[in-house]
């Protein structure tokens, strides 16, 4: 049977790179090609440590320190303004902001995150019957309690999967309907590797604690692009000076922490850590015995990318070009040949 035509989509710690802009007809779903040895009522042995924090998760947190310092300064400045205007102690907003990171593992907050930020929904009964046996088999082989995680569906015709927050595992409707059970298990094992390695929650913490700094920077850019009246000029100038001072202090602190040369290549290092996390999640799936299914999915992806580059864009009449070297260095996902190269020992 010809493999289905995945249409990948990039989303944070998801499995695949950006989507193929040239969708074609998909093959019918493959038969259920898995052997289920861990059904309901069967004895399953769990590992002593269900989660760990691997080197890529620690590296992501360490590289995010400059952004965290910038956000902390923005929050402290906002707290000082509230203290002067409302008499609210400046440390209260800072304390609430620091404590808010625990919401990553709060189940009701995760539900809101899945529904309104990631655009996921709960599985329908027939989808549950299709998804849960595969997930139960994957987690049983890994020695992980699969009931700790929440399964979600994205209403999409793209091939994608998610590992987010503390317990979110999502797949697209396309992946659920078109992938064989063996390939679906490989995709789920990859996402489980993101959770057990600490990639999912560390990535969300980095995004969350960097949000105030990013918001301040965007506000500064918006103000500089807007029409500034003479009456507001002094206010905008003062805010701009404060934000630049915050950025200067954060850059100075980061330079002290890492040194100026490392600070200049920080975006490339962060992208490299993201690519390493993807390779580690691939290795996690391969070590559980899902390397063949994962390799088949990756090979199909590579074939689709090759066909996309060979086609002509309908509007401009130009062909899609390969990513430039800087773009590849800033990509959070390794290219498919690299991923297949790292899987070769498991095939």
């Amino acid at each position: 049977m010809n493999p289905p035509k995945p249409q990948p989509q990039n989303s944070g710690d998801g499995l695949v790179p950006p989507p193929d802009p040239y969708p074609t007809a998909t093959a019918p779903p493959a038969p259920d090609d898995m052997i289920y040895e861990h059904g309901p009522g069967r004895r399953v042995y769990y590992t002593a440590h269900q989660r760990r924090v691997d080197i890529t998760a620690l590296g992501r947190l360490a590289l995010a320190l400059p952004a965290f310092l910038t956000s902390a300064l923005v929050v402290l400045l906002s707290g000082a303004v509230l203290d002067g205007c409302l008499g609210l102690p400046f440390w209260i907003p800072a304390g609430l902001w620091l404590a808010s990171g625990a919401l990553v593992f709060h189940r009701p907050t995760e539900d809101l995150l899945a529904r309104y930020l990631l655009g996921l929904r709960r599985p329908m009964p027939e989808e549950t019957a299709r998804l849960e046996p595969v997930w139960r088999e994957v987690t049983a082989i890994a020695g992980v309690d699969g009931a700790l995680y929440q399964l979600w569906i994205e209403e999409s015709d793209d091939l994608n999967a998610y590992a987010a927050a503390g317990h979110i595992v999502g797949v697209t409707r396309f992946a659920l309907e078109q992938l064989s059970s063996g390939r679906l298990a490989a995709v789920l094992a990859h996402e489980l590797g993101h959770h057990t390695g600490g990639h999912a929650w560390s990535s969300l913490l980095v995004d969350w604690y960097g949000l105030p700094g990013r918001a301040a920077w965007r506000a500064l850019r918006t103000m500089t692009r807007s029409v500034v009246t003479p009456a507001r000029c002094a206010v905008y100038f003062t805010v701009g000076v404060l934000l630049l001072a915050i950025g200067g202090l954060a850059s100075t602190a980061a330079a002290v922490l890492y040194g100026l040369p490392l600070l200049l290549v920080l975006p490339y290092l962060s992208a490299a850590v993201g690519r390493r996390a993807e390779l580690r999640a691939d290795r996690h799936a391969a070590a559980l015995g899902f390397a063949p299914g994962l390799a088949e999915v990756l090979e199909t992806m590579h074939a689709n990318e090759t066909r996309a580059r060979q086609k002509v864009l309908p509007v401009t009449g130009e062909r899609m070009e390969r990513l430039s070297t800087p773009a590849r260095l800033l990509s959070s996902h390794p290219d498919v040949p690299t991923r297949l190269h790292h899987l070769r020992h498991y095939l």
Side-chain angles (χ1 to χ4, degrees), residues 33-95:
D33 54 356
M34 285 189 64
I35 300 176
Y36 298 94
E37 299 179 352
H38 303 88
R42 297 295 297 272
R43 184 182 298 273
V44 177
Y45 294 93
Y46 296 146
T47 59
H49 301 285
Q50 296 282 292
R51 293 172 180 266
R52 66 185 188 279
V53 182
D54 65 19
I55 189 64
T56 56
L58 292 175
R60 180 169 292 173
L61 293 174
L63 293 174
L65 280 177
F68 172 79
L69 292 174
T70 303
S71 295
L73 290 171
V74 171
V75 172
L76 289 174
L77 178 61
S78 303
V81 173
L82 293 176
D83 190 3
C85 297
L86 304 177
L88 182 69
F90 75 94
W91 55 267
I92 291 181

Side-chain angles (χ1 to χ4, degrees), residues 51-347:
R51 293 172 180 266
R52 66 185 188 279
V53 182
D54 65 19
I55 189 64
T56 56
L58 292 175
R60 180 169 292 173
L61 293 174
L63 293 174
L65 280 177
F68 172 79
L69 292 174
T70 303
S71 295
L73 290 171
V74 171
V75 172
L76 289 174
L77 178 61
S78 303
V81 173
L82 293 176
D83 190 3
C85 297
L86 304 177
L88 182 69
F90 75 94
W91 55 267
I92 291 181
L96 292 175
W97 174 67
L98 289 174
S100 64
L103 295 176
V104 172
F105 301 99
H106 184 235
R107 293 303 181 93
T109 305
E110 286 186 340
D111 289 349
L112 295 176
L113 176 68
R115 292 177 186 275
Y116 300 108
L117 184 61
L118 298 179
L120 307 179
R121 61 169 174 80
R122 294 289 188 181
M124 301 291 286
E126 62 275 11
E127 294 170 335
T128 300
R130 169 82 168 93
L131 182 59
E132 280 195 352
V134 179
W135 175 248
R136 183 169 55 242
E137 191 71 18
V138 170
T139 54
I141 293 174
V144 174
D145 186 3
L148 295 177
Y149 297 90
Q150 298 176 343
L151 300 175
W152 296 82
I153 302 295
E154 181 191 23
E155 193 64 34
S156 172
D157 292 329
D158 298 326
L159 171 62
N160 204 0
Y162 301 90
H167 309 90
I168 295 175
V169 177
V171 296
T172 60
R173 177 176 49 79
F174 178 92
L176 189 63
E177 294 177 351
Q178 300 299 322
L179 292 183
S180 69
S181 295
R183 294 181 179 182
L184 180 61
V187 171
L188 293 175
H190 173 97
E191 302 308 327
L192 180 62
H194 282 309
H195 274 300
T196 58
H199 309 157
W201 64 261
S202 63
S203 178
L204 185 58
L205 284 181
V206 167
D207 290 338
W208 173 251
Y209 282 121
L211 182 60
R214 293 196 302 272
W217 177 248
R218 289 171 183 168
L220 177 61
R221 293 180 59 186
T222 301
M223 286 190 298
T224 57
R225 293 175 180 176
S226 63
V227 178
V228 180
T229 62
R232 298 177 181 176
C233 184
V235 176
Y236 286 161
F237 178 77
T238 302
V239 173
V241 169
L242 289 175
L243 291 177
L244 290 176
I246 290 172
L249 289 173
S251 299
T252 301
V256 172
L257 287 172
Y258 302 119
L260 184 59
L262 187 60
L263 179 63
L264 297 176
V265 297
L266 203 57
Y268 297 95
L269 291 177
S270 298
V273 169
R275 292 193 297 271
R276 179 57 57 179
E278 292 299 319
L279 294 177
R280 281 181 170 267
D282 285 348
R283 188 171 67 183
H284 176 269
L288 297 179
F290 298 106
L294 185 59
E296 290 173 358
V297 173
L298 292 175
E299 287 170 354
T300 304
M301 289 165 47
H302 184 59
N304 294 336
E305 292 173 357
T306 302
R307 284 196 298 269
R309 284 194 297 267
Q310 292 174 349
K311 291 184 178 180
V312 177
L313 296 177
V315 177
T316 62
E318 299 177 353
R319 292 181 181 272
M320 291 184 61
E321 300 293 337
R322 293 179 179 270
L323 290 176
S324 63
T325 299
R328 289 198 302 270
L329 292 177
L330 289 172
S331 174
S332 62
H333 284 71
D335 56 68
V336 173
T338 298
R339 296 175 71 173
L340 289 172
H341 174 75
H342 284 268
L343 286 176
R344 70 190 188 283
H345 297 300
Y346 297 92
L347 297 175

